[in-house]
Amino acid sequence: MSGFKDLMAFQRQTEALAQVAGRLGWDQETMMPDGSAAQRAEEIGALEAVLHARRTDARIGVWLSRAKAPDSDGEAQLRQLRRQVQRAAKVPGRLVEEIARATSLAQGIWAEARANEDVAGFLPTLAEVVALKREEAAALAGGGDPYDALVDDYEPGMTGAAIAAMFGAMRPRLVALREKVLGAEAPKGVVGTFEQGAQLALSREVATLFGYDWNRGRIDLAVHPFSSGSGHDVRITTRVSETDPFNCLYSTIHEVGHAAYEQNVDPAYALTPIGQGASMGVHESQSRSYENQLGRSRAFTGWLYGRMREVFGEFGIADAEGFYRAVNRVHPGYIRTESDEVQYNLHVMLRFDLERALIRGTLEVADLEEAWNTRFRSDFGVAVDRPSNGMLQDVHWSCGLFGYFPTYTLGNVYAGCLMQALRADLPDLDSDLARGDPSAATDWLREKLQRHGALYEPRDLVRRACGFEPTEGPLLDYLEAKFGAIYGV
Amino acid sequence: MSGFKDLMAFQRQTEALAQVAGRLGWDQETMMPDGSAAQRAEEIGALEAVLHARRTDARIGVWLSRAKAPDSDGEAQLRQLRRQVQRAAKVPGRLVEEIARATSLAQGIWAEARANEDVAGFLPTLAEVVALKREEAAALAGGGDPYDALVDDYEPGMTGAAIAAMFGAMRPRLVALREKVLGAEAPKGVVGTFEQGAQLALSREVATLFGYDWNRGRIDLAVHPFSSGSGHDVRITTRVSETDPFNCLYSTIHEVGHAAYEQNVDPAYALTPIGQGASMGVHESQSRSYENQLGRSRAFTGWLYGRMREVFGEFGIADAEGFYRAVNRVHPGYIRTESDEVQYNLHVMLRFDLERALIRGTLEVADLEEAWNTRFRSDFGVAVDRPSNGMLQDVHWSCGLFGYFPTYTLGNVYAGCLMQALRADLPDLDSDLARGDPSAATDWLREKLQRHGALYEPRDLVRRACGFEPTEGPLLDYLEAKFGAIYGV
């Protein structure tokens, strides 16, 4: 027992310091004066050095070796810590530092290359990052599949092969749906100017409806919306376009999905190794189901249409049905982050196949652009017009985040399963949503999934919540039914 | 050299982490959601534990023993660090922890006692804090004067005896001035409602005039105005009363004095032991001179009157002379923080004498209230009507901040000296100020004093800036001349 107590006390301080680091990041994106950037980098560096020293502290191994968990929650705490320690033991400190240095530089070089449409200017840097990540993946895999070892950082227990099988089943149906939908007539969009203050007020109102706890959070503006923090201080950001009110509104609902997940974790787990979301994929399942399956449903958009008419008056949409179609418009485009429910996962699958090949050594950086452009034309039916619309569009690879992309689609798949189970349990959900009340759904998600934090392995958690093994079927059925009806295809 | 380099590298990270701790404090007062307080306490506790471990790290002594400073800046760095190490070595860790625990609890008990006018409910707690601080003072003093040892924490090089001599010379003249002024007719105050947004906009404008660098700072609202941070991220807060526009305006100018001092320290000193203000007293000399000697001058208030008329229209003051008198109104009152230039130092002197006697053991906590009330009646001519207007009004003693109070008046004294020297160097200052331009004065202060950070001992720094030994004379002459003229006494 004593090893367990010492370990939890030590870990609690580490988790508290990690929250501080997260809040520094929040401050940097929302509050920090422009001229403070260089000093802030030193502050974050100093704090990260403290965190790294604590996470690799030799005492953790000693405590773990004699720790006995008092209960099943304790077992999960130890499981999480063992994973961290085992991972840290496999990667030489020299390599950790090289990756940190290389990716820190690479982000600036990537941003400049993207601005200048300069693939050649980015390739040597990307090659260095890929080489280092291959080395790290090999060290972690110990003879196993190197890409699996990286996926495990973001989605414990998931493998490249399992993802490939799932994506392989999804891709033809999504490509077919995409072609049918884009061949049909596009719904009318909104027109007019939507005042920033009114958009923010409406977003706050909707965040409250989706269960965001303002007593332990706040909303601010940022260039890229995000959610930040765990436990009792979980903040969100949003952005505003005065011509596109859905940008602010659905960014907010998406971030509320992430933030409510963190806020709803059992308070007993706060500042412990299981006191946050179970994985990136499960996190995305919450943000996506709040945003899409609930927020973009026919029932909820019916309520939202009435509310937006009250707030903004006329905006060129005659009725709730037209509004639902406008909210769910599918449009051609090159950019993943601007994509819609139909096409989003195709963007992810492209990246997954390419990054998996890069890490496994079956694709070289020199051939990446051609591979990207070929695949894009095949899945999206058009040629990439410039690198910033192609392989230079995402920051992830310059950060060394290989293995991260598939969790976006995994989140959508989990959201599909969760919504199928949730709707079976809640037959009156649509009449609630039509009154602007998603609380039965968010309560269900809190009770079945969110409160457990990282108590269970991600896939196991989703299975327990749904009552069945998660597969891609429910998501595909949902997308085909929804967009088939909207587009009459 | 190697000891010096190692030490500076280690210290740089400590300073960066101290900046992070400061920013957490800022966030707590300005941005933090209410429900985050308990988690925040753990976050701050974890960070303070890291800072404490670094500041008492045994390697510092080893590095110091072989460190050779490369230049006079380096000598000052080492002097500052030696002071910290020597202080830490004298106080047992057990006592440090007891003081931290006792003062943390005492602040809550004090707040409740003040709210309930319950002196008896606070005395046992205060007695414990005083006993612990006496023990600490004795450990630090090593046979010398215990109060001097505490003063040295806030104003290095200053002694209780030197302060007592200075205050002894000031008190009769201030009491006499106070009596004459309060015997004369009070100037008319402003009337009307002053919209919050317009007040904040004007405060921003004035902060800019006083040289606040928005590229490395920002302003927000807080219950108690403060300045926070050093180097390249120095933030200020203010507050707004819709009936008293001077609250927001002069709180802002005061905090700009503190913040500009930090912003103007030589960038080469950033994140080093001399990279911030030299002492509490010198800091207060900057905030006070910005606020009072410059901001409440006849010349600057002349400009401000015109600007406020443009912004707010009529507010019951007929001309710039009447406005100057309104800004400098002296009013009877019990509360130090609401006091004016004439009476403020009398509030400080009362506390100085009482806390010095408490630490030296010539006054006991049981006799404190009577001693306070007797002295107040003697200096202010009225009886204290209730404890929250008397000995329960300030938080300082519950925090263990004995030795801090005199630095407020020391700051005013230094401000008096600096302004005498500055006006001698800048004969056109009043015509600048009358155009709303204090930059010649703030440039002078930056060049002569602020840029040096903690390079020199505080008193030495002020002497170098002024060109003469600082004394109380210039402040008293200034106050008697200014308020004699305003009140015709």
Side-chain angles (χ1 to χ4, degrees), chain B residues 438-456:
Chain B
S439 65
T442 55
D443 286 353
W444 189 97
L445 287 167
R446 187 188 66 228
E447 193 55 31
K448 295 273 188 177
L449 187 142
Q450 296 173 349
R451 70 185 172 91
H452 297 303
L455 180 63
Y456 304 115

PDB file of all heavy atoms in Angstrom, chain B residues 438-456:
ATOM      1  N   PRO B 438       3.823  63.161 -20.054  1.00  0.00           N
ATOM      2  CA  PRO B 438       4.787  62.934 -18.965  1.00  0.00           C
ATOM      3  C   PRO B 438       6.050  62.217 -19.436  1.00  0.00           C
ATOM      4  O   PRO B 438       6.840  61.763 -18.605  1.00  0.00           O
ATOM      5  CB  PRO B 438       3.994  62.053 -17.982  1.00  0.00           C
ATOM      6  CG  PRO B 438       2.936  61.394 -18.800  1.00  0.00           C
ATOM      7  CD  PRO B 438       2.809  62.117 -20.118  1.00  0.00           C
ATOM      8  N   SER B 439       6.270  62.094 -20.741  1.00  0.00           N
ATOM      9  CA  SER B 439       7.342  61.200 -21.210  1.00  0.00           C
ATOM     10  C   SER B 439       8.730  61.683 -20.821  1.00  0.00           C
ATOM     11  O   SER B 439       9.622  60.863 -20.600  1.00  0.00           O
ATOM     12  CB  SER B 439       7.249  61.006 -22.731  1.00  0.00           C
ATOM     13  OG  SER B 439       7.495  62.222 -23.401  1.00  0.00           O
ATOM     14  N   ALA B 440       8.935  63.011 -20.712  1.00  0.00           N
ATOM     15  CA  ALA B 440      10.265  63.472 -20.290  1.00  0.00           C
ATOM     16  C   ALA B 440      10.559  62.943 -18.886  1.00  0.00           C
ATOM     17  O   ALA B 440      11.672  62.496 -18.587  1.00  0.00           O
ATOM     18  CB  ALA B 440      10.335  64.998 -20.313  1.00  0.00           C
ATOM     19  N   ALA B 441       9.542  62.956 -18.015  1.00  0.00           N
ATOM     20  CA  ALA B 441       9.724  62.468 -16.646  1.00  0.00           C
ATOM     21  C   ALA B 441       9.902  60.949 -16.619  1.00  0.00           C
ATOM     22  O   ALA B 441      10.796  60.428 -15.940  1.00  0.00           O
ATOM     23  CB  ALA B 441       8.522  62.875 -15.788  1.00  0.00           C
ATOM     24  N   THR B 442       9.064  60.244 -17.360  1.00  0.00           N
ATOM     25  CA  THR B 442       9.182  58.776 -17.309  1.00  0.00           C
ATOM     26  C   THR B 442      10.469  58.319 -17.997  1.00  0.00           C
ATOM     27  O   THR B 442      11.084  57.346 -17.567  1.00  0.00           O
ATOM     28  CB  THR B 442       7.939  58.091 -17.927  1.00  0.00           C
ATOM     29  OG1 THR B 442       7.732  58.575 -19.258  1.00  0.00           O
ATOM     30  CG2 THR B 442       6.695  58.389 -17.095  1.00  0.00           C
ATOM     31  N   ASP B 443      10.902  59.060 -19.027  1.00  0.00           N
ATOM     32  CA  ASP B 443      12.206  58.738 -19.636  1.00  0.00           C
ATOM     33  C   ASP B 443      13.335  58.932 -18.627  1.00  0.00           C
ATOM     34  O   ASP B 443      14.265  58.132 -18.548  1.00  0.00           O
ATOM     35  CB  ASP B 443      12.462  59.641 -20.862  1.00  0.00           C
ATOM     36  CG  ASP B 443      11.619  59.243 -22.065  1.00  0.00           C
ATOM     37  OD1 ASP B 443      10.935  58.204 -21.994  1.00  0.00           O
ATOM     38  OD2 ASP B 443      11.638  59.988 -23.063  1.00  0.00           O
ATOM     39  N   TRP B 444      13.245  60.034 -17.894  1.00  0.00           N
ATOM     40  CA  TRP B 444      14.277  60.324 -16.870  1.00  0.00           C
ATOM     41  C   TRP B 444      14.328  59.190 -15.851  1.00  0.00           C
ATOM     42  O   TRP B 444      15.413  58.685 -15.515  1.00  0.00           O
ATOM     43  CB  TRP B 444      13.924  61.658 -16.189  1.00  0.00           C
ATOM     44  CG  TRP B 444      14.980  62.226 -15.266  1.00  0.00           C
ATOM     45  CD1 TRP B 444      15.917  63.177 -15.563  1.00  0.00           C
ATOM     46  CD2 TRP B 444      15.174  61.904 -13.866  1.00  0.00           C
ATOM     47  NE1 TRP B 444      16.683  63.467 -14.449  1.00  0.00           N
ATOM     48  CE2 TRP B 444      16.256  62.690 -13.401  1.00  0.00           C
ATOM     49  CE3 TRP B 444      14.562  61.031 -12.984  1.00  0.00           C
ATOM     50  CZ2 TRP B 444      16.726  62.634 -12.077  1.00  0.00           C
ATOM     51  CZ3 TRP B 444      15.014  60.973 -11.668  1.00  0.00           C
ATOM     52  CH2 TRP B 444      16.088  61.762 -11.220  1.00  0.00           C
ATOM     53  N   LEU B 445      13.164  58.770 -15.367  1.00  0.00           N
ATOM     54  CA  LEU B 445      13.114  57.695 -14.363  1.00  0.00           C
ATOM     55  C   LEU B 445      13.632  56.380 -14.943  1.00  0.00           C
ATOM     56  O   LEU B 445      14.325  55.621 -14.266  1.00  0.00           O
ATOM     57  CB  LEU B 445      11.682  57.522 -13.842  1.00  0.00           C
ATOM     58  CG  LEU B 445      11.200  58.638 -12.919  1.00  0.00           C
ATOM     59  CD1 LEU B 445       9.682  58.561 -12.714  1.00  0.00           C
ATOM     60  CD2 LEU B 445      11.922  58.576 -11.560  1.00  0.00           C
ATOM     61  N   ARG B 446      13.290  56.115 -16.203  1.00  0.00           N
ATOM     62  CA  ARG B 446      13.781  54.894 -16.831  1.00  0.00           C
ATOM     63  C   ARG B 446      15.308  54.898 -16.902  1.00  0.00           C
ATOM     64  O   ARG B 446      15.967  53.932 -16.543  1.00  0.00           O
ATOM     65  CB  ARG B 446      13.194  54.751 -18.240  1.00  0.00           C
ATOM     66  CG  ARG B 446      13.518  53.411 -18.889  1.00  0.00           C
ATOM     67  CD  ARG B 446      13.096  53.354 -20.346  1.00  0.00           C
ATOM     68  NE  ARG B 446      13.882  54.281 -21.129  1.00  0.00           N
ATOM     69  CZ  ARG B 446      13.398  55.154 -22.001  1.00  0.00           C
ATOM     70  NH1 ARG B 446      12.111  55.220 -22.236  1.00  0.00           N
ATOM     71  NH2 ARG B 446      14.197  55.971 -22.667  1.00  0.00           N
ATOM     72  N   GLU B 447      15.821  56.023 -17.364  1.00  0.00           N
ATOM     73  CA  GLU B 447      17.258  56.101 -17.606  1.00  0.00           C
ATOM     74  C   GLU B 447      18.055  56.114 -16.297  1.00  0.00           C
ATOM     75  O   GLU B 447      19.067  55.424 -16.156  1.00  0.00           O
ATOM     76  CB  GLU B 447      17.520  57.387 -18.410  1.00  0.00           C
ATOM     77  CG  GLU B 447      18.902  57.482 -19.013  1.00  0.00           C
ATOM     78  CD  GLU B 447      19.242  56.280 -19.886  1.00  0.00           C
ATOM     79  OE1 GLU B 447      18.318  55.685 -20.511  1.00  0.00           O
ATOM     80  OE2 GLU B 447      20.422  55.914 -19.934  1.00  0.00           O
ATOM     81  N   LYS B 448      17.563  56.900 -15.325  1.00  0.00           N
ATOM     82  CA  LYS B 448      18.320  57.087 -14.085  1.00  0.00           C
ATOM     83  C   LYS B 448      18.130  55.928 -13.118  1.00  0.00           C
ATOM     84  O   LYS B 448      18.999  55.681 -12.291  1.00  0.00           O
ATOM     85  CB  LYS B 448      17.848  58.380 -13.387  1.00  0.00           C
ATOM     86  CG  LYS B 448      18.140  59.651 -14.162  1.00  0.00           C
ATOM     87  CD  LYS B 448      19.531  60.144 -13.833  1.00  0.00           C
ATOM     88  CE  LYS B 448      19.756  61.536 -14.447  1.00  0.00           C
ATOM     89  NZ  LYS B 448      21.074  62.061 -14.081  1.00  0.00           N
ATOM     90  N   LEU B 449      16.982  55.264 -13.169  1.00  0.00           N
ATOM     91  CA  LEU B 449      16.660  54.306 -12.109  1.00  0.00           C
ATOM     92  C   LEU B 449      16.134  52.965 -12.630  1.00  0.00           C
ATOM     93  O   LEU B 449      16.699  51.916 -12.334  1.00  0.00           O
ATOM     94  CB  LEU B 449      15.633  54.947 -11.157  1.00  0.00           C
ATOM     95  CG  LEU B 449      15.294  54.156  -9.898  1.00  0.00           C
ATOM     96  CD1 LEU B 449      15.112  55.066  -8.693  1.00  0.00           C
ATOM     97  CD2 LEU B 449      14.049  53.311 -10.095  1.00  0.00           C
ATOM     98  N   GLN B 450      15.061  53.004 -13.436  1.00  0.00           N
ATOM     99  CA  GLN B 450      14.344  51.761 -13.717  1.00  0.00           C
ATOM    100  C   GLN B 450      15.197  50.730 -14.449  1.00  0.00           C
ATOM    101  O   GLN B 450      15.146  49.533 -14.154  1.00  0.00           O
ATOM    102  CB  GLN B 450      13.061  52.067 -14.506  1.00  0.00           C
ATOM    103  CG  GLN B 450      12.069  52.902 -13.703  1.00  0.00           C
ATOM    104  CD  GLN B 450      10.873  53.358 -14.524  1.00  0.00           C
ATOM    105  OE1 GLN B 450      10.844  53.243 -15.745  1.00  0.00           O
ATOM    106  NE2 GLN B 450       9.879  53.906 -13.836  1.00  0.00           N
ATOM    107  N   ARG B 451      15.980  51.177 -15.419  1.00  0.00           N
ATOM    108  CA  ARG B 451      16.711  50.225 -16.248  1.00  0.00           C
ATOM    109  C   ARG B 451      17.710  49.388 -15.442  1.00  0.00           C
ATOM    110  O   ARG B 451      18.095  48.296 -15.869  1.00  0.00           O
ATOM    111  CB  ARG B 451      17.425  50.941 -17.405  1.00  0.00           C
ATOM    112  CG  ARG B 451      18.594  51.793 -16.998  1.00  0.00           C
ATOM    113  CD  ARG B 451      19.138  52.555 -18.207  1.00  0.00           C
ATOM    114  NE  ARG B 451      20.147  53.522 -17.812  1.00  0.00           N
ATOM    115  CZ  ARG B 451      21.460  53.251 -17.763  1.00  0.00           C
ATOM    116  NH1 ARG B 451      21.895  52.057 -18.059  1.00  0.00           N
ATOM    117  NH2 ARG B 451      22.307  54.191 -17.400  1.00  0.00           N
ATOM    118  N   HIS B 452      18.108  49.873 -14.266  1.00  0.00           N
ATOM    119  CA  HIS B 452      19.113  49.161 -13.483  1.00  0.00           C
ATOM    120  C   HIS B 452      18.555  47.951 -12.753  1.00  0.00           C
ATOM    121  O   HIS B 452      19.326  47.160 -12.215  1.00  0.00           O
ATOM    122  CB  HIS B 452      19.774  50.100 -12.472  1.00  0.00           C
ATOM    123  CG  HIS B 452      20.518  51.233 -13.106  1.00  0.00           C
ATOM    124  ND1 HIS B 452      21.530  51.004 -14.016  1.00  0.00           N
ATOM    125  CD2 HIS B 452      20.405  52.574 -12.980  1.00  0.00           C
ATOM    126  CE1 HIS B 452      22.014  52.182 -14.422  1.00  0.00           C
ATOM    127  NE2 HIS B 452      21.338  53.151 -13.822  1.00  0.00           N
ATOM    128  N   GLY B 453      17.250  47.785 -12.699  1.00  0.00           N
ATOM    129  CA  GLY B 453      16.686  46.633 -11.978  1.00  0.00           C
ATOM    130  C   GLY B 453      17.208  46.591 -10.551  1.00  0.00           C
ATOM    131  O   GLY B 453      17.220  47.611  -9.853  1.00  0.00           O
ATOM    132  N   ALA B 454      17.661  45.405 -10.139  1.00  0.00           N
ATOM    133  CA  ALA B 454      18.197  45.264  -8.784  1.00  0.00           C
ATOM    134  C   ALA B 454      19.718  45.254  -8.792  1.00  0.00           C
ATOM    135  O   ALA B 454      20.365  44.626  -7.966  1.00  0.00           O
ATOM    136  CB  ALA B 454      17.651  43.993  -8.146  1.00  0.00           C
ATOM    137  N   LEU B 455      20.307  45.987  -9.758  1.00  0.00           N
ATOM    138  CA  LEU B 455      21.774  46.030  -9.868  1.00  0.00           C
ATOM    139  C   LEU B 455      22.414  46.635  -8.623  1.00  0.00           C
ATOM    140  O   LEU B 455      23.455  46.177  -8.169  1.00  0.00           O
ATOM    141  CB  LEU B 455      22.150  46.845 -11.111  1.00  0.00           C
ATOM    142  CG  LEU B 455      23.631  47.024 -11.406  1.00  0.00           C
ATOM    143  CD1 LEU B 455      24.309  45.676 -11.694  1.00  0.00           C
ATOM    144  CD2 LEU B 455      23.832  47.971 -12.605  1.00  0.00           C
ATOM    145  N   TYR B 456      21.801  47.683  -8.079  1.00  0.00           N
ATOM    146  CA  TYR B 456      22.343  48.351  -6.888  1.00  0.00           C
ATOM    147  C   TYR B 456      21.433  48.104  -5.686  1.00  0.00           C
ATOM    148  O   TYR B 456      20.250  47.798  -5.832  1.00  0.00           O
ATOM    149  CB  TYR B 456      22.437  49.864  -7.130  1.00  0.00           C
ATOM    150  CG  TYR B 456      23.248  50.234  -8.350  1.00  0.00           C
ATOM    151  CD1 TYR B 456      22.650  50.852  -9.451  1.00  0.00           C
ATOM    152  CD2 TYR B 456      24.613  49.970  -8.409  1.00  0.00           C
ATOM    153  CE1 TYR B 456      23.384  51.185 -10.576  1.00  0.00           C
ATOM    154  CE2 TYR B 456      25.363  50.299  -9.530  1.00  0.00           C
ATOM    155  CZ  TYR B 456      24.738  50.911 -10.614  1.00  0.00           C
ATOM    156  OH  TYR B 456      25.479  51.237 -11.723  1.00  0.00           O
TER     157      TYR B 456
END
